[in-house]
């Protein structure tokens, strides 16, 4: 592997000589020679050519557009008016925009000033300070326009939303882009990934066509094609590749390997179990600090919730994995933090006076993956590979910058080792590093097929116990841990290389061990899982008394708990009332049935009387018939009476007999010969 950065000549070899004070700043920064991307891009920009630049991180892309912009503005025949923009730089994140702004400010502060007599005010610098447009509590879009008009800034740097508002919103009519010399889109592919395409199209349409445009990024995507066609005119493509020589003994010669990462970067992966990831993270930091003197680390986690949780938890992990006196100083950075907090964190980490005994560790999401130039970062650790494979090289590129060497680790579990081949296709080679044991000087290779043949690291249990002991002190930590785990699982399901990172293969129980959770959260992904079979046991916690350290939050919990008890009691009472009502309704229903039965009996009695009367008539008719039979008369008169008697059915006759029996029983009841209970039992009148 190459051990030095390639250079492409001294600055004086440029076709256009640099302005002396610009050359002095470049020299003071220690850049005695140009990098390939600078040597290829600066002359093109100076010759009125649009450029599309693709180069690895840390290759000097920022100076490749800062210097041409300054030189073009200096060489203008007419000075820009106070309301005119000369150069516009658009960045996807506020951190990158702030960094670019600081580079321009560094150059502009070095402008020479004229000598003045005593008592006279010094003249203003020829070129005012650049204007930074980012979301901030200290400046609204209206104030941005006001600051621009007051300062007369020639160079404007910002994020797409603020720049769109600056040009087409609050600043429309006040800000003029008619004299725009240069437009730069830094990390252009990221601008599109974050959904800024609509804003970019509106901005591009409002800018003059007679301008120079540059697109800069470490990776280019197909989506940039549309942007290139609409915003650039016959652009020159600049692609700077990194090559390293590798000697293959079996071939007996050197093979040129193309890479998309800095030549001085050693890219490593460690196979381990999911439950061992946090243990390995702590050991990597201890190992690099103790053996290589590393003092600045960036650790990438999948979500902001994970960053918040491990920012609290990691100090408890290090004493459990080693007796080393290393005590890291942690910093956290993610997109959910307020802008001011993100700025403070980045500044604190960048300026930290870290040592191997007290290394500075930045826990971050991909918000810190692109464009940030922190030259003294020694090691990058990726606990999880990024969901977007393009971000992998950007993460690694935070180290080994500006000619320095660096190391980058990624932790892979089980079939995730296939990610190595996936990255190799993208010209990002990864070298296997043995599993790091408790003693920093000892490593253990777990074999090509993963870690199935060895027992789980003993430190996993110790770390889990240490985290649990700390989490028991504050219920807030438990909530953070559960939220972090759920967000990590959701992020895992969104990996673009889904055939490698399959959610069904993720060891969620092992991940819960690594997080030191007290109990498993309720998740659909754990529905068919047997945690006990995977060595999981919930912590012994009385959840009714497990309290928040914050008094206001604890008071709220107790109030909710009391309200829940009241609600439970109310539900029980309501259930009792429903049962009682059901019984009451049941009694009413029985009474109604008895009333219906009595009504039926009355109807049958009426029918019986009619039948008896009809029967008597029929009997009388039969008697007359018998008498008339002797005389041969009255035979026809008996037929209607007989037919009337037969109109009653046999069933009705039986019912009437039953009614007769009931009447007899009722008479006995009145005489006291039978009891009411016996009567009700006989005739069902309950």
């Amino acid at each position: 592997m190459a051990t030095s950065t390639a250079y492409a000549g001294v600055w004086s070899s440029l076709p256009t000589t640099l302005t002396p004070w610009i050359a002095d700043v470049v020299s003071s920064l220690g850049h005695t020679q140009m990098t390939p991307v600078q040597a290829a891009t600066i002359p093109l920009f100076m010759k009125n050519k649009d450029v599309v630049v693709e180069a690895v991180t840390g290759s000097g892309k920022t100076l490749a557009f800062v210097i041409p912009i300054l030189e073009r503005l200096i060489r203008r025949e007419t000075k820009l008016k106070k309301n005119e923009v000369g150069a516009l730089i658009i960045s996807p994140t506020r951190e990158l925009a702030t960094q670019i702004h600081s580079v321009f400010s560094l150059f502009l502060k070095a402008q020479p000033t004229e000598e003045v007599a005593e008592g006279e005010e010094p003249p203003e610098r020829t070129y005012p300070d650049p204007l930074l447009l980012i979301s901030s509590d200290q400046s609204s879009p209206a104030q941005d326009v006001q600051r621009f008009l007051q300062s007369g800034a020639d160079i404007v740097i910002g994020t797409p939303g603020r720049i769109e508002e600056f040009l087409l919103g609050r600043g429309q009519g006040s800000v003029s882009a008619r004299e725009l010399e240069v437009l730069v889109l830094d990390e252009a592919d990221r601008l599109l990934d974050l959904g800024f395409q609509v804003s970019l199209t509106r901005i591009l349409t409002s800018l003059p066509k007679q301008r120079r445009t540059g697109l800069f990024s470490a990776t280019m995507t197909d989506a940039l094609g549309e942007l290139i066609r609409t915003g650039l005119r016959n652009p020159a493509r600049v692609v700077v590749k990194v090559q390293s020589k590798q000697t293959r003994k079996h071939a007996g010669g050197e093979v040129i390997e193309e890479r998309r990462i800095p030549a001085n970067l050693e890219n490593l992966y460690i196979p381990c179990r999911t439950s061992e990831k946090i243990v390995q993270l702590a050991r990597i930091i201890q190992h690099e600090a103790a053996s290589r003197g590393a003092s600045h680390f960036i650790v990438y986690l999948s979500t902001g919730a994970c960053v918040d949780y491990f920012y609290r938890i990691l100090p408890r992990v290090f004493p459990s994995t080693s007796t080393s006196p290393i005590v890291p100083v942690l910093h956290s950075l993610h997109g959910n933090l307020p802008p001011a907090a993100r700025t403070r964190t980045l500044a604190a980490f960048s300026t930290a006076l870290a040592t191997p005994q007290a290394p500075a560790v930045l826990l971050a999401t991909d918000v810190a993956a692109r464009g940030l130039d922190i030259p003294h970062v020694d090691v990058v650790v990726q606990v999880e590979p990024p969901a977007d494979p393009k971000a992998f090289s950007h993460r690694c590129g935070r180290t080994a910058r500006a000619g320095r060497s660096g190391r980058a680790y990624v932790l892979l579990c089980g079939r995730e080792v296939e990610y190595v081949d996936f990255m190799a296709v993208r010209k990002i080679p990864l070298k296997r590093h043995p599993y790091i044991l408790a003693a920093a000087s000892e490593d253990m290779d777990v074999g090509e097929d993963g870690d199935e043949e060895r027992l789980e690291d003993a430190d996993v249990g110790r770390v889990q116990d240490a985290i649990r002991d700390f989490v028991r002190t504050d219920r807030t930590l438990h909530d953070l841990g559960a939220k972090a785990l759920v967000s990590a699982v959701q992020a895992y399901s969104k990996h673009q290389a889904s055939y490698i990172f399959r959610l069904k293969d993720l060891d969620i129980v092992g991940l819960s061990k690594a997080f030191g959770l007290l109990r498993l959260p309720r998740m659909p992904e754990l529905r068919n899982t047997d945690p006990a079979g995977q060595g999981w046991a919930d912590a012994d916690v009385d959840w009714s008394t497990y309290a928040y350290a914050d008094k206001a939050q604890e008071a709220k919990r107790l109030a909710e708990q009391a309200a829940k008890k009241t609600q439970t009691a109310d539900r029980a009472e309501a259930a009792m009332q429903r049962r009682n009502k059901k019984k009451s309704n049941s009694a009413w229903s029985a009474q109604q049935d008895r009333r219906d039965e009595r009504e039926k009996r009355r109807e049958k009695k009426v029918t019986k009387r009619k039948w008896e009367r009809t029967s008597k008539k029929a009997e009388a008719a039969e008697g007359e018939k018998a008498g008339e039979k002797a005389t041969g008369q009255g035979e026809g008169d008996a037929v209607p009476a007989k037919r009337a008697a037969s109109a009653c059915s046999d069933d009705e006759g039986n019912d009437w007999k039953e009614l007769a029996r009931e009447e007899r029983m009722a008479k006995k009841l009145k005489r006291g010969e039978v009891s009411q209970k016996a009567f009700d039992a006989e005739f069902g009148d309950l």
Side-chain angles (χ1 to χ4, degrees), residues 78 215 361 604:
T78 58
L215 270 63
V361 179
K604 289 182 179 180

Side-chain angles (χ1 to χ4, degrees), residues 131 136-148 170:
L131 179 67
S136 170
D137 298 335
Q138 301 175 353
S139 180
S140 64
Q143 291 171 327
D144 289 342
V145 176
Q146 188 178 0
R147 286 191 297 125
F148 170 74
R170 299 279 184 176

Side-chain angles (χ1 to χ4, degrees), residues 393-418:
S393 60
H394 291 281
R395 285 180 171 187
C396 298
R398 296 314 98 206
T399 185
R401 300 179 70 82
R404 292 168 55 94
S405 61
R407 286 157 72 88
Y409 291 85
V410 61
L411 303 177
L412 301 175
C413 305
R415 64 171 292 145
E416 293 175 5
V417 175
E418 296 177 15

Side-chain angles (χ1 to χ4, degrees), residues 88 181 217 221 272 462:
L88 190 62
E181 288 275 348
S217 182
T221 62
C272 65
R462 284 192 285 271

